[in-house]
Amino acid sequence: MKTLFSEHISRLQKVVQDILEKAFLDGLWIYSGKAKTWFLDDQTAPFRINPYFNYFFPYPQAENCWLCLDGKNKPKIYFYCPEDYWVSTPTVPTEAFFAEEFEWILLKSENEIAKFIPNPTACAFIGEDVGLANSLGFSQINPQKILNILNFERSTKTEFEIESIYQAQFSALKGHQAAKEAFFAGKSEFEINLEYLKTTKQSELNVPYGNIMAINYHSAVLHYTALDFDTNTKRYSFLIDAGTTVNGYASDLTRTYAFDSSSEFAELVAKMDKFKLDIIAELSIGINYLHYHTRMQQMISQLLAEHQFIHLSAQQIFEEGISRTFFPHGLGHFLGIQVHDVGGFQQNLRGSHKAPPEAYPSLRCTRDLQENMVLTIEPGFYFIDMLLNSWKNSRYSSAFNWQKIEDFKRFGGIRTEDNIVIRASGAENLTAKAELKV
Ligand code: GLY
Ligand code: MN
Ligand code: MN
C-alpha cells in the first residue's frame, strides 16, 4: 500500500499544481468536517468525512482535521487530537502507510487552525462548513471550477484506490457468506444483519450505505433498509446488498438466493448472474455506458418473453418500454469514496454535464468507458406493484401474464452486483477475482 499511496499522492500533487496555476491561487485548504448536532439537541449524527479530504488523506475517522496543499511541498495535515474525557478521541495514525507523505501538525483545540492560515484570500476552501470558511476569511469557497477538476480526476482511479476497493471485496464477501448461511438457517432480516455486521467488523454507523437484507417480497423495494424480526413466514428468496470500506473506499455487492434451488425463480437468478457476467465481458474502452445499459434492457426483454411473463416478442417488449418496469434502475454507477461516486455525468475537466436519456432517468453514468474507471454492474429484475399497475389499463395489458406475475410477487426480485475496473484489455472483475480467494 505504501508505494501505491506514494504514487497516488504524486498524481494528486500534479492535479493540485494545475488547479492552483489555473485559478491563480497559492493553496487549497480542505476541511474534513465535523459531526452534525441534531436539531435542538446535544447528540450528534454519525460523522461522515468530506470525500475530497479522504481522497488525499485516506483515514475516514479524521474529524475536524485540515489539509493544506500547494502541489509542491509535502502536504500538511493538521490533525485534531484534543484531550477529552467525555468522548473517545481518534488515534493519531502516525504508523499508517500514508503517514510519511505528510507533514504533521497536531491540533489540541479547534480554534488553533486560524493561526496557520495567514493568507485565506489567496487560497480556496473545500468543505461543507461554509460558515466556518467565512469566519476564517476565505472568499473562494468550493469553487465549482476546482470541484469539476477534482471530480473528473476522481472518476479514473489510481492503483492505490483500485487496490483499496479490491481489498474491500474480501470483507464484504465474508459478510455475504455469513448472511447467506443465516438466511438458510431461518434467521430474521434483523438477525441476518447482525451476522453481517459481526463478520465484517462494522457497526451500523460505519457501513458504506444502509444494508439491504430483504426476504421475499421486500426485495421489490430497491433500497429496502427496514429489518424485520419475522422467522415464521415461509421463505422464498433473499436479496442482500451490502458492502464494506477500506481506507474509506467502498465495495458495493448484491446477491440474490432462491430458497428452493429447483424452482423457476432459481433459474431466473442464474440467468441474471449470467447476464451480468456477459455484459462485464463486453465492456470496453471508448464505449458509452448507456450502450451496456440498453443491452441489459434487451436481455431482460428476452427473459420476459422466454419465461412467458409477457406474450410479446423480446423486441416488442424492449421497444414498448415494458422491460423498464421490471428493470427500473440503472445498470450501475461509479464506485469509490462515495458509493455512488462523483463524475458519472461529467464529460470533461470543465464540467460539461450529460444527463441520462428520458427513458432511463435513473441511469447514473453517461460516460464513455476509460481505463481505471471503477464501476458496479448490477442488473435487476423485479415484480413491483406500483410499476406493474400502470400497465393494467394499457393496450398491452392482455399481453401481460398477470397470473404468473402475481405468483412471482412473493419473490420480490433479483439483483446481482459486482465491482469492476476498466483495463486496457477490458473489464477486470474485482468481485470475481476476490471470490476465487475467499
Ligand atoms: N447499494 C446501492 C446501490 O447498489 O447502488
Ligand atoms: Mn448495491
Ligand atoms: Mn450499486
Side-chain angles (χ1 to χ4, degrees):
M1 276 291 180
K2 207 166 172 166
T3 315
L4 292 181
F5 186 71
S6 192
E7 289 161 11
H8 172 78
I9 270 296
S10 302
R11 168 173 154 186
L12 267 49
Q13 285 279 71
K14 288 200 197 87
V15 173
V16 171
Q17 231 176 73
D18 186 46
I19 286 175
L20 297 177
E21 268 166 32
K22 279 190 184 136
F24 301 105
L25 290 170
D26 293 347
L28 276 189
W29 283 87
I30 310 184
Y31 179 51
S32 68
K34 191 177 170 182
K36 290 187 193 64
T37 312
W38 301 120
F39 184 52
L40 299 182
D41 204 331
D42 63 356
Q43 305 288 310
T44 56
F47 171 65
R48 206 29 103 106
I49 198 165
N50 170 359
Y52 298 96
F53 187 96
N54 198 118
Y55 190 36
F56 289 86
F57 192 83
Y59 191 67
Q61 302 94 306
E63 189 172 347
N64 229 334
C65 297
W66 292 79
L67 280 167
C68 176
L69 308 154
D70 68 7
K72 293 183 182 125
N73 297 297
K74 222 178 211 198
K76 289 195 179 76
I77 172 75
Y78 296 85
F79 197 90
Y80 181 64
C81 51
E83 286 180 18
D84 200 329
Y85 60 88
W86 284 95
V87 292
S88 51
T89 51
T91 322
V92 186
T94 42
E95 302 296 312
F97 64 86
F98 52 82
E100 278 175 21
E101 299 294 335
F102 297 89
E103 188 184 324
W104 290 74
I105 300 102
L106 301 182
L107 301 178
K108 291 291 172 200
S109 80
E110 290 185 38
N111 303 335
E112 252 181 285
I113 193 65
K115 70 170 187 264
F116 294 107
I117 314 175
N119 56 347
T121 52
C123 297
F125 170 92
I126 310 281
E128 193 184 352
D129 308 69
V130 173
L132 173 65
N134 277 319
S135 71
L136 288 166
F138 288 102
S139 50
Q140 302 235 33
I141 299 171
N142 299 319
Q144 194 57 49
K145 280 184 183 165
I146 295 181
L147 294 184
N148 286 343
I149 296 173
L150 290 173
N151 291 347
F152 198 70
E153 286 298 327
R154 281 175 58 191
S155 67
T156 53
K157 269 58 179 178
T158 62
E159 292 303 326
F160 162 71
E161 297 182 283
I162 294 166
E163 180 62 22
S164 299
I165 296 167
Y166 177 56
Q167 291 302 330
Q169 305 296 309
F170 289 91
S171 41
L173 284 169
K174 284 184 197 137
H176 272 242
Q177 183 58 31
K180 175 187 172 187
E181 285 164 17
F183 166 71
F184 281 103
K187 300 257 169 86
S188 68
E189 292 171 350
F190 187 84
E191 292 166 322
I192 296 171
N193 190 48
L194 289 180
E195 285 300 320
Y196 182 81
L197 294 173
K198 191 169 99 185
T199 308
T200 56
K201 300 193 174 80
Q202 298 181 103
S203 90
E204 206 71 88
L205 303 181
N206 51 24
V207 289
Y209 56 90
N211 290 342
I212 299 172
M213 305 286 170
I215 294 178
N216 297 349
Y217 64 91
H218 290 161
S219 54
V221 177
L222 300 182
H223 284 166
Y224 172 85
T225 51
L227 295 164
D228 82 16
F229 297 90
D230 183 14
T231 51
N232 295 320
T233 309
K234 184 170 160 53
R235 35 196 65 195
Y236 302 104
S237 66
F238 173 50
L239 184 153
I240 167 172
D241 184 347
T244 56
T245 53
V246 168
N247 303 324
Y249 289 82
S251 52
D252 177 9
L253 304 185
T254 310
R255 295 287 180 264
T256 306
Y257 301 98
F259 193 73
D260 173 0
S261 61
S262 62
S263 60
E264 185 178 356
F265 184 73
E267 211 180 301
L268 292 170
V269 171
K271 285 188 181 174
M272 289 298 291
D273 263 323
K274 180 160 170 6
F275 290 172
K276 174 188 70 185
L277 296 175
D278 288 351
I279 281 286
I280 291 173
E282 285 179 25
L283 299 174
S284 81
I285 288 182
I287 309 293
N288 196 282
Y289 195 67
L290 174 62
H291 166 78
Y292 301 105
H293 175 78
T294 310
R295 284 266 301 130
M296 185 56 71
Q297 291 286 349
Q298 288 164 337
M299 288 157 121
I300 284 168
S301 301
Q302 189 77 41
L303 191 75
L304 285 164
E306 263 172 30
H307 283 260
Q308 295 173 357
F309 287 107
I310 308 289
H311 301 301
L312 291 172
S313 71
Q315 192 176 343
Q316 275 175 305
I317 294 171
F318 170 69
E319 282 172 3
E320 298 303 331
I322 297 172
S323 61
R324 288 181 247 153
T325 284
F326 295 87
F327 174 33
H329 57 75
L331 179 64
H333 49 85
F334 281 149
L335 177 67
I337 298 167
Q338 283 158 279
V339 175
H340 297 155
D341 214 13
V342 287
F345 305 115
Q346 189 183 321
Q347 305 299 311
N348 49 40
L349 285 166
R350 294 185 311 284
S352 309
H353 182 93
K354 183 174 172 182
E358 225 169 276
Y360 305 123
S362 306
L363 187 63
R364 294 182 201 271
C365 179
T366 55
R367 295 280 298 275
D368 289 349
L369 296 182
Q370 279 176 36
E371 203 167 346
N372 290 1
M373 284 178 167
V374 174
L375 292 140
T376 68
I377 298 292
E378 49 179 306
F381 182 69
Y382 314 86
F383 301 92
I384 301 173
D385 273 328
M386 178 184 143
L387 302 179
L388 289 164
N389 286 344
S390 63
W391 293 96
K392 285 248 157 89
N393 295 319
S394 77
R395 67 192 178 104
Y396 290 107
S397 183
S398 59
F400 280 64
N401 186 345
W402 291 115
Q403 206 178 337
K404 180 162 179 169
I405 289 170
E406 204 52 48
D407 182 44
F408 271 75
K409 280 184 187 168
R410 65 198 151 108
F411 297 101
I414 301 167
R415 180 163 67 256
T416 176
E417 175 175 30
D418 285 359
N419 304 159
I420 62 100
V421 53
I422 304 294
R423 300 295 196 186
S425 55
E428 182 184 359
N429 188 335
L430 298 174
T431 312
K433 189 170 139 191
E435 259 169 340
L436 292 175
K437 295 187 184 168
V438 286

